[in-house]
Amino acid sequence: MKLLSVIFPAYNEEKMIVRAAQEVGKVLESARISYELVFVDDGSKDTTWKQIEETAEADPHITGVHFSRNFGKEAAMFAGLASAKGDCCVVMDCDLQHPPETLVEMYRLWEQGYEVVEGVKRTRGKESALHRASAGMFYKIISRAVGIDMSRASDFKLMDRRAVDALLEMPERNAFFRALSSWVGFRSVSVEFDVQERTEGQSKWSTWSLIKYAVTNIVAFSSAPMQFVTFAGVAVFLLGIVLGIQTLVKYFMGHAVEGFTTVILLILFIGSIIMISLGIIGYYISKIYEEVKGRPRYLISRKIDSRVDRLEG
Ligand code: UDP
Ligand code: MG
């Protein structure tokens, strides 16, 4: 019997653990799919871990992983994949914004031989206009870097054991799950789903954390911002030639003292370009520094193993 692992990153989701376990369990059981549910508590400050422990006691399908502190959703997803025993794994949000019924559809496609099944958002659910616009820009940059249209991509996806192992073998710390799963290739297909509304609790993303997330992932996936430095350098050089000719012409015509305004403007302009360039290079260096230190992506402080293998025999 094949085993499906469903991974739920959970941060302050005390109200959703039991509901998610019940609803997903119900759907998978009626579809006769054997499964385990991997809850990764991303250092929650509420009773999420207690909920996971209690649910795991009653339900043998549940694996629980508890982080020593909040490491972020990306880390939680990777920890879940690393603890999953399934022949295929699905990552989904535990606020049930990803509909459990789609799981079955994904599983059937996997049975037909697809190794990566991408969940694609048909609609994006409720969002503010500003959020939508900045998400649009972010996805444009990322899509160019990966070479695949990512504007409707989500973290909701099924991966075959082979793809999961390929992902887990990657040594990088700043891994962007959504794009890496396309990057690994394999036989893939996509399934559309409608983003549901969150019923309990609230979104864990502030505007600031979204900006940080966007910048980190652009830098993790693309060196395009570095080209800005070269580009700006060439632009300033061309400007330099034009101004140089003008200055020389004025000198030979005998009124060279003018142009103090130009000097001030040039110093300001070139100065700011140099500083922006240094900032961009500095950001990449800080990311290299982080990778070189080789700290673990996350630290697990407690773990509960599911009892599925004993169940299925
Ligand atoms: N999440 C997490 N760690 C974090 C933030 C979020 O594990 O630091 C989880 C969260 O519990 C949820 C999923 O990631 O299961 C998606 O988060 P959320 O619903 O807040 O994001 P949104 O749906 O608003 O994009
Ligand atoms: Mg959500």
mmCIF file of all heavy atoms in Angstrom, residues 90-126:
data_model
loop_
_atom_site.group_PDB
_atom_site.id
_atom_site.type_symbol
_atom_site.label_atom_id
_atom_site.label_comp_id
_atom_site.label_asym_id
_atom_site.label_seq_id
_atom_site.Cartn_x
_atom_site.Cartn_y
_atom_site.Cartn_z
ATOM 1 N N VAL A 90 2.451 15.895 0.231
ATOM 2 C CA VAL A 90 1.762 17.110 -0.153
ATOM 3 C C VAL A 90 1.976 18.132 0.955
ATOM 4 O O VAL A 90 1.897 17.805 2.124
ATOM 5 C CB VAL A 90 0.243 16.885 -0.304
ATOM 6 C CG1 VAL A 90 -0.464 18.196 -0.613
ATOM 7 C CG2 VAL A 90 -0.052 15.875 -1.379
ATOM 8 N N VAL A 91 2.281 19.374 0.569
ATOM 9 C CA VAL A 91 2.361 20.440 1.564
ATOM 10 C C VAL A 91 1.085 21.243 1.453
ATOM 11 O O VAL A 91 0.668 21.591 0.359
ATOM 12 C CB VAL A 91 3.563 21.348 1.288
ATOM 13 C CG1 VAL A 91 3.567 22.523 2.232
ATOM 14 C CG2 VAL A 91 4.856 20.560 1.407
ATOM 15 N N MET A 92 0.411 21.480 2.575
ATOM 16 C CA MET A 92 -0.759 22.359 2.517
ATOM 17 C C MET A 92 -0.886 23.212 3.768
ATOM 18 O O MET A 92 -0.346 22.874 4.816
ATOM 19 C CB MET A 92 -2.035 21.570 2.208
ATOM 20 C CG MET A 92 -2.618 20.736 3.288
ATOM 21 S SD MET A 92 -3.954 19.683 2.643
ATOM 22 C CE MET A 92 -5.375 20.730 2.790
ATOM 23 N N ASP A 93 -1.566 24.345 3.646
ATOM 24 C CA ASP A 93 -1.730 25.236 4.793
ATOM 25 C C ASP A 93 -2.699 24.623 5.781
ATOM 26 O O ASP A 93 -3.704 24.038 5.381
ATOM 27 C CB ASP A 93 -2.299 26.593 4.334
ATOM 28 C CG ASP A 93 -1.248 27.441 3.660
ATOM 29 O OD1 ASP A 93 -0.109 26.961 3.522
ATOM 30 O OD2 ASP A 93 -1.581 28.574 3.249
ATOM 31 N N CYS A 94 -2.425 24.782 7.068
ATOM 32 C CA CYS A 94 -3.334 24.132 7.994
ATOM 33 C C CYS A 94 -4.520 25.032 8.349
ATOM 34 O O CYS A 94 -5.365 24.663 9.150
ATOM 35 C CB CYS A 94 -2.600 23.582 9.196
ATOM 36 S SG CYS A 94 -2.239 24.711 10.460
ATOM 37 N N ASP A 95 -4.644 26.202 7.703
ATOM 38 C CA ASP A 95 -5.858 26.998 7.901
ATOM 39 C C ASP A 95 -6.954 26.564 6.921
ATOM 40 O O ASP A 95 -7.988 27.208 6.812
ATOM 41 C CB ASP A 95 -5.562 28.496 7.742
ATOM 42 C CG ASP A 95 -4.857 28.806 6.438
ATOM 43 O OD1 ASP A 95 -4.748 27.909 5.589
ATOM 44 O OD2 ASP A 95 -4.405 29.953 6.270
ATOM 45 N N LEU A 96 -6.694 25.462 6.184
ATOM 46 C CA LEU A 96 -7.650 24.894 5.230
ATOM 47 C C LEU A 96 -8.016 25.862 4.099
ATOM 48 O O LEU A 96 -9.075 25.757 3.499
ATOM 49 C CB LEU A 96 -8.927 24.395 5.929
ATOM 50 C CG LEU A 96 -8.706 23.195 6.861
ATOM 51 C CD1 LEU A 96 -10.010 22.795 7.529
ATOM 52 C CD2 LEU A 96 -8.122 22.014 6.111
ATOM 53 N N GLN A 97 -7.117 26.802 3.801
ATOM 54 C CA GLN A 97 -7.342 27.655 2.629
ATOM 55 C C GLN A 97 -7.073 26.858 1.358
ATOM 56 O O GLN A 97 -7.497 27.239 0.277
ATOM 57 C CB GLN A 97 -6.449 28.893 2.683
ATOM 58 C CG GLN A 97 -6.974 29.927 3.667
ATOM 59 C CD GLN A 97 -6.213 31.230 3.566
ATOM 60 O OE1 GLN A 97 -5.025 31.290 3.822
ATOM 61 N NE2 GLN A 97 -6.907 32.284 3.191
ATOM 62 N N HIS A 98 -6.351 25.763 1.512
ATOM 63 C CA HIS A 98 -6.176 24.831 0.397
ATOM 64 C C HIS A 98 -7.204 23.721 0.580
ATOM 65 O O HIS A 98 -7.152 23.000 1.563
ATOM 66 C CB HIS A 98 -4.756 24.243 0.406
ATOM 67 C CG HIS A 98 -3.678 25.277 0.237
ATOM 68 N ND1 HIS A 98 -2.400 25.105 0.712
ATOM 69 C CD2 HIS A 98 -3.713 26.494 -0.336
ATOM 70 C CE1 HIS A 98 -1.679 26.174 0.400
ATOM 71 N NE2 HIS A 98 -2.455 27.036 -0.226
ATOM 72 N N PRO A 99 -8.138 23.570 -0.351
ATOM 73 C CA PRO A 99 -9.236 22.618 -0.154
ATOM 74 C C PRO A 99 -8.768 21.158 -0.110
ATOM 75 O O PRO A 99 -8.038 20.731 -1.005
ATOM 76 C CB PRO A 99 -10.131 22.855 -1.368
ATOM 77 C CG PRO A 99 -9.287 23.571 -2.352
ATOM 78 C CD PRO A 99 -8.259 24.317 -1.604
ATOM 79 N N PRO A 100 -9.159 20.397 0.931
ATOM 80 C CA PRO A 100 -8.744 18.999 1.069
ATOM 81 C C PRO A 100 -9.188 18.114 -0.099
ATOM 82 O O PRO A 100 -8.509 17.141 -0.410
ATOM 83 C CB PRO A 100 -9.434 18.543 2.362
ATOM 84 C CG PRO A 100 -9.759 19.782 3.093
ATOM 85 C CD PRO A 100 -9.950 20.853 2.080
ATOM 86 N N GLU A 101 -10.279 18.483 -0.758
ATOM 87 C CA GLU A 101 -10.762 17.637 -1.869
ATOM 88 C C GLU A 101 -9.723 17.583 -2.991
ATOM 89 O O GLU A 101 -9.607 16.579 -3.688
ATOM 90 C CB GLU A 101 -12.087 18.161 -2.446
ATOM 91 C CG GLU A 101 -13.267 18.133 -1.488
ATOM 92 C CD GLU A 101 -13.178 19.224 -0.422
ATOM 93 O OE1 GLU A 101 -12.680 20.325 -0.758
ATOM 94 O OE2 GLU A 101 -13.584 18.962 0.729
ATOM 95 N N THR A 102 -8.987 18.697 -3.177
ATOM 96 C CA THR A 102 -7.974 18.744 -4.237
ATOM 97 C C THR A 102 -6.875 17.707 -4.013
ATOM 98 O O THR A 102 -6.252 17.231 -4.956
ATOM 99 C CB THR A 102 -7.370 20.161 -4.315
ATOM 100 O OG1 THR A 102 -8.440 21.094 -4.300
ATOM 101 C CG2 THR A 102 -6.566 20.378 -5.566
ATOM 102 N N LEU A 103 -6.672 17.351 -2.715
ATOM 103 C CA LEU A 103 -5.674 16.339 -2.371
ATOM 104 C C LEU A 103 -5.902 15.043 -3.143
ATOM 105 O O LEU A 103 -4.962 14.443 -3.660
ATOM 106 C CB LEU A 103 -5.810 15.997 -0.883
ATOM 107 C CG LEU A 103 -5.000 16.766 0.138
ATOM 108 C CD1 LEU A 103 -5.336 16.231 1.512
ATOM 109 C CD2 LEU A 103 -3.535 16.594 -0.154
ATOM 110 N N VAL A 104 -7.161 14.634 -3.185
ATOM 111 C CA VAL A 104 -7.510 13.371 -3.834
ATOM 112 C C VAL A 104 -7.197 13.459 -5.321
ATOM 113 O O VAL A 104 -6.601 12.558 -5.913
ATOM 114 C CB VAL A 104 -8.999 13.038 -3.601
ATOM 115 C CG1 VAL A 104 -9.366 11.735 -4.264
ATOM 116 C CG2 VAL A 104 -9.297 12.997 -2.117
ATOM 117 N N GLU A 105 -7.573 14.598 -5.907
ATOM 118 C CA GLU A 105 -7.304 14.835 -7.328
ATOM 119 C C GLU A 105 -5.790 14.743 -7.602
ATOM 120 O O GLU A 105 -5.353 14.115 -8.568
ATOM 121 C CB GLU A 105 -7.802 16.240 -7.655
ATOM 122 C CG GLU A 105 -8.216 16.473 -9.082
ATOM 123 C CD GLU A 105 -8.717 17.913 -9.232
ATOM 124 O OE1 GLU A 105 -9.462 18.406 -8.346
ATOM 125 O OE2 GLU A 105 -8.333 18.546 -10.215
ATOM 126 N N MET A 106 -5.004 15.350 -6.707
ATOM 127 C CA MET A 106 -3.544 15.324 -6.864
ATOM 128 C C MET A 106 -3.021 13.897 -6.761
ATOM 129 O O MET A 106 -2.181 13.469 -7.545
ATOM 130 C CB MET A 106 -2.892 16.169 -5.768
ATOM 131 C CG MET A 106 -3.049 17.646 -5.956
ATOM 132 S SD MET A 106 -2.336 18.483 -4.544
ATOM 133 C CE MET A 106 -1.936 20.053 -5.295
ATOM 134 N N TYR A 107 -3.556 13.160 -5.782
ATOM 135 C CA TYR A 107 -3.097 11.789 -5.547
ATOM 136 C C TYR A 107 -3.368 10.909 -6.761
ATOM 137 O O TYR A 107 -2.535 10.113 -7.169
ATOM 138 C CB TYR A 107 -3.783 11.227 -4.309
ATOM 139 C CG TYR A 107 -3.237 9.884 -3.879
ATOM 140 C CD1 TYR A 107 -2.076 9.802 -3.102
ATOM 141 C CD2 TYR A 107 -3.862 8.702 -4.253
ATOM 142 C CE1 TYR A 107 -1.556 8.582 -2.707
ATOM 143 C CE2 TYR A 107 -3.347 7.470 -3.870
ATOM 144 C CZ TYR A 107 -2.199 7.419 -3.100
ATOM 145 O OH TYR A 107 -1.689 6.204 -2.714
ATOM 146 N N ARG A 108 -4.546 11.101 -7.360
ATOM 147 C CA ARG A 108 -4.889 10.298 -8.547
ATOM 148 C C ARG A 108 -3.918 10.585 -9.692
ATOM 149 O O ARG A 108 -3.534 9.685 -10.431
ATOM 150 C CB ARG A 108 -6.327 10.584 -9.006
ATOM 151 C CG ARG A 108 -7.384 10.243 -7.971
ATOM 152 C CD ARG A 108 -7.571 8.744 -7.775
ATOM 153 N NE ARG A 108 -8.492 8.481 -6.678
ATOM 154 C CZ ARG A 108 -8.188 7.736 -5.598
ATOM 155 N NH1 ARG A 108 -6.990 7.168 -5.474
ATOM 156 N NH2 ARG A 108 -9.079 7.554 -4.646
ATOM 157 N N LEU A 109 -3.542 11.858 -9.851
ATOM 158 C CA LEU A 109 -2.588 12.197 -10.909
ATOM 159 C C LEU A 109 -1.231 11.562 -10.628
ATOM 160 O O LEU A 109 -0.536 11.108 -11.533
ATOM 161 C CB LEU A 109 -2.449 13.719 -11.022
ATOM 162 C CG LEU A 109 -3.624 14.395 -11.722
ATOM 163 C CD1 LEU A 109 -3.592 15.891 -11.473
ATOM 164 C CD2 LEU A 109 -3.583 14.116 -13.215
ATOM 165 N N TRP A 110 -0.874 11.516 -9.339
ATOM 166 C CA TRP A 110 0.394 10.873 -8.955
ATOM 167 C C TRP A 110 0.350 9.384 -9.299
ATOM 168 O O TRP A 110 1.316 8.830 -9.820
ATOM 169 C CB TRP A 110 0.641 11.078 -7.462
ATOM 170 C CG TRP A 110 1.862 10.370 -6.967
ATOM 171 C CD1 TRP A 110 3.166 10.717 -7.205
ATOM 172 C CD2 TRP A 110 1.908 9.189 -6.160
ATOM 173 N NE1 TRP A 110 4.008 9.822 -6.602
ATOM 174 C CE2 TRP A 110 3.261 8.869 -5.952
ATOM 175 C CE3 TRP A 110 0.922 8.373 -5.592
ATOM 176 C CZ2 TRP A 110 3.660 7.773 -5.191
ATOM 177 C CZ3 TRP A 110 1.320 7.284 -4.841
ATOM 178 C CH2 TRP A 110 2.684 6.992 -4.646
ATOM 179 N N GLU A 111 -0.797 8.762 -9.050
ATOM 180 C CA GLU A 111 -0.950 7.340 -9.390
ATOM 181 C C GLU A 111 -0.787 7.105 -10.885
ATOM 182 O O GLU A 111 -0.351 6.051 -11.308
ATOM 183 C CB GLU A 111 -2.332 6.834 -8.940
ATOM 184 C CG GLU A 111 -2.417 6.595 -7.447
ATOM 185 C CD GLU A 111 -3.782 6.069 -7.027
ATOM 186 O OE1 GLU A 111 -4.804 6.505 -7.600
ATOM 187 O OE2 GLU A 111 -3.832 5.225 -6.117
ATOM 188 N N GLN A 112 -1.160 8.138 -11.680
ATOM 189 C CA GLN A 112 -0.997 8.006 -13.130
ATOM 190 C C GLN A 112 0.444 8.213 -13.560
ATOM 191 O O GLN A 112 0.760 8.140 -14.742
ATOM 192 C CB GLN A 112 -1.871 9.031 -13.848
ATOM 193 C CG GLN A 112 -3.351 8.684 -13.825
ATOM 194 C CD GLN A 112 -4.188 9.863 -14.281
ATOM 195 O OE1 GLN A 112 -3.738 10.699 -15.070
ATOM 196 N NE2 GLN A 112 -5.402 9.947 -13.777
ATOM 197 N N GLY A 113 1.323 8.523 -12.624
ATOM 198 C CA GLY A 113 2.740 8.605 -12.966
ATOM 199 C C GLY A 113 3.355 9.997 -12.929
ATOM 200 O O GLY A 113 4.529 10.161 -13.222
ATOM 201 N N TYR A 114 2.575 11.014 -12.578
ATOM 202 C CA TYR A 114 3.157 12.349 -12.469
ATOM 203 C C TYR A 114 3.953 12.446 -11.166
ATOM 204 O O TYR A 114 3.531 11.919 -10.140
ATOM 205 C CB TYR A 114 2.074 13.428 -12.498
ATOM 206 C CG TYR A 114 1.464 13.564 -13.869
ATOM 207 C CD1 TYR A 114 0.236 12.996 -14.160
ATOM 208 C CD2 TYR A 114 2.150 14.238 -14.878
ATOM 209 C CE1 TYR A 114 -0.312 13.093 -15.426
ATOM 210 C CE2 TYR A 114 1.613 14.340 -16.147
ATOM 211 C CZ TYR A 114 0.385 13.773 -16.420
ATOM 212 O OH TYR A 114 -0.150 13.871 -17.668
ATOM 213 N N GLU A 115 5.112 13.115 -11.231
ATOM 214 C CA GLU A 115 5.963 13.157 -10.041
ATOM 215 C C GLU A 115 5.838 14.451 -9.253
ATOM 216 O O GLU A 115 6.143 14.503 -8.071
ATOM 217 C CB GLU A 115 7.418 12.915 -10.449
ATOM 218 C CG GLU A 115 7.644 11.452 -10.821
ATOM 219 C CD GLU A 115 8.813 11.226 -11.749
ATOM 220 O OE1 GLU A 115 8.972 11.999 -12.711
ATOM 221 O OE2 GLU A 115 9.552 10.267 -11.515
ATOM 222 N N VAL A 116 5.408 15.519 -9.934
ATOM 223 C CA VAL A 116 5.143 16.764 -9.222
ATOM 224 C C VAL A 116 3.768 17.264 -9.663
ATOM 225 O O VAL A 116 3.526 17.407 -10.856
ATOM 226 C CB VAL A 116 6.215 17.842 -9.532
ATOM 227 C CG1 VAL A 116 5.866 19.157 -8.871
ATOM 228 C CG2 VAL A 116 7.593 17.384 -9.097
ATOM 229 N N VAL A 117 2.871 17.477 -8.724
ATOM 230 C CA VAL A 117 1.555 18.009 -9.062
ATOM 231 C C VAL A 117 1.422 19.379 -8.392
ATOM 232 O O VAL A 117 1.367 19.482 -7.171
ATOM 233 C CB VAL A 117 0.415 17.087 -8.602
ATOM 234 C CG1 VAL A 117 -0.922 17.613 -9.081
ATOM 235 C CG2 VAL A 117 0.628 15.667 -9.091
ATOM 236 N N GLU A 118 1.426 20.424 -9.199
ATOM 237 C CA GLU A 118 1.398 21.781 -8.670
ATOM 238 C C GLU A 118 -0.039 22.235 -8.446
ATOM 239 O O GLU A 118 -0.870 22.112 -9.331
ATOM 240 C CB GLU A 118 2.023 22.759 -9.687
ATOM 241 C CG GLU A 118 3.337 22.322 -10.249
ATOM 242 C CD GLU A 118 4.496 23.050 -9.602
ATOM 243 O OE1 GLU A 118 4.233 23.932 -8.762
ATOM 244 O OE2 GLU A 118 5.642 22.717 -9.931
ATOM 245 N N GLY A 119 -0.315 22.772 -7.274
ATOM 246 C CA GLY A 119 -1.595 23.416 -7.042
ATOM 247 C C GLY A 119 -1.518 24.834 -7.585
ATOM 248 O O GLY A 119 -0.620 25.587 -7.237
ATOM 249 N N VAL A 120 -2.445 25.183 -8.459
ATOM 250 C CA VAL A 120 -2.417 26.504 -9.081
ATOM 251 C C VAL A 120 -3.673 27.258 -8.667
ATOM 252 O O VAL A 120 -4.773 26.713 -8.706
ATOM 253 C CB VAL A 120 -2.353 26.351 -10.623
ATOM 254 C CG1 VAL A 120 -2.599 27.667 -11.302
ATOM 255 C CG2 VAL A 120 -1.019 25.769 -11.037
ATOM 256 N N LYS A 121 -3.515 28.514 -8.256
ATOM 257 C CA LYS A 121 -4.668 29.278 -7.772
ATOM 258 C C LYS A 121 -5.543 29.718 -8.923
ATOM 259 O O LYS A 121 -5.083 30.425 -9.818
ATOM 260 C CB LYS A 121 -4.193 30.529 -7.027
ATOM 261 C CG LYS A 121 -3.444 30.217 -5.761
ATOM 262 C CD LYS A 121 -2.864 31.504 -5.187
ATOM 263 C CE LYS A 121 -1.905 31.180 -4.056
ATOM 264 N NZ LYS A 121 -0.976 32.270 -3.775
ATOM 265 N N ARG A 122 -6.796 29.301 -8.928
ATOM 266 C CA ARG A 122 -7.721 29.775 -9.952
ATOM 267 C C ARG A 122 -8.092 31.210 -9.622
ATOM 268 O O ARG A 122 -8.103 32.090 -10.466
ATOM 269 C CB ARG A 122 -8.961 28.887 -9.989
ATOM 270 C CG ARG A 122 -9.851 29.168 -11.188
ATOM 271 C CD ARG A 122 -11.068 28.264 -11.190
ATOM 272 N NE ARG A 122 -10.716 26.861 -11.330
ATOM 273 C CZ ARG A 122 -11.237 25.894 -10.576
ATOM 274 N NH1 ARG A 122 -12.103 26.171 -9.632
ATOM 275 N NH2 ARG A 122 -10.886 24.638 -10.762
ATOM 276 N N THR A 123 -8.393 31.423 -8.355
ATOM 277 C CA THR A 123 -8.654 32.779 -7.882
ATOM 278 C C THR A 123 -7.761 32.984 -6.677
ATOM 279 O O THR A 123 -7.364 32.029 -6.033
ATOM 280 C CB THR A 123 -10.107 32.907 -7.427
ATOM 281 O OG1 THR A 123 -10.354 31.822 -6.523
ATOM 282 C CG2 THR A 123 -11.061 32.834 -8.583
ATOM 283 N N ARG A 124 -7.436 34.227 -6.373
ATOM 284 C CA ARG A 124 -6.503 34.475 -5.283
ATOM 285 C C ARG A 124 -7.186 34.735 -3.945
ATOM 286 O O ARG A 124 -6.531 35.049 -2.967
ATOM 287 C CB ARG A 124 -5.588 35.647 -5.620
ATOM 288 C CG ARG A 124 -4.571 35.321 -6.700
ATOM 289 C CD ARG A 124 -3.560 36.441 -6.836
ATOM 290 N NE ARG A 124 -2.866 36.691 -5.577
ATOM 291 C CZ ARG A 124 -1.654 36.242 -5.310
ATOM 292 N NH1 ARG A 124 -1.007 35.543 -6.173
ATOM 293 N NH2 ARG A 124 -1.095 36.520 -4.158
ATOM 294 N N GLY A 125 -8.497 34.618 -3.892
ATOM 295 C CA GLY A 125 -9.172 34.887 -2.625
ATOM 296 C C GLY A 125 -9.164 36.368 -2.330
ATOM 297 O O GLY A 125 -8.837 37.185 -3.185
ATOM 298 N N LYS A 126 -9.536 36.727 -1.103
ATOM 299 C CA LYS A 126 -9.640 38.151 -0.763
ATOM 300 C C LYS A 126 -8.267 38.752 -0.483
ATOM 301 O O LYS A 126 -7.521 38.252 0.321
ATOM 302 C CB LYS A 126 -10.524 38.298 0.483
ATOM 303 C CG LYS A 126 -11.969 38.494 0.141
ATOM 304 C CD LYS A 126 -12.707 39.073 1.342
ATOM 305 C CE LYS A 126 -14.189 39.092 1.085
ATOM 306 N NZ LYS A 126 -14.947 38.890 2.322
#
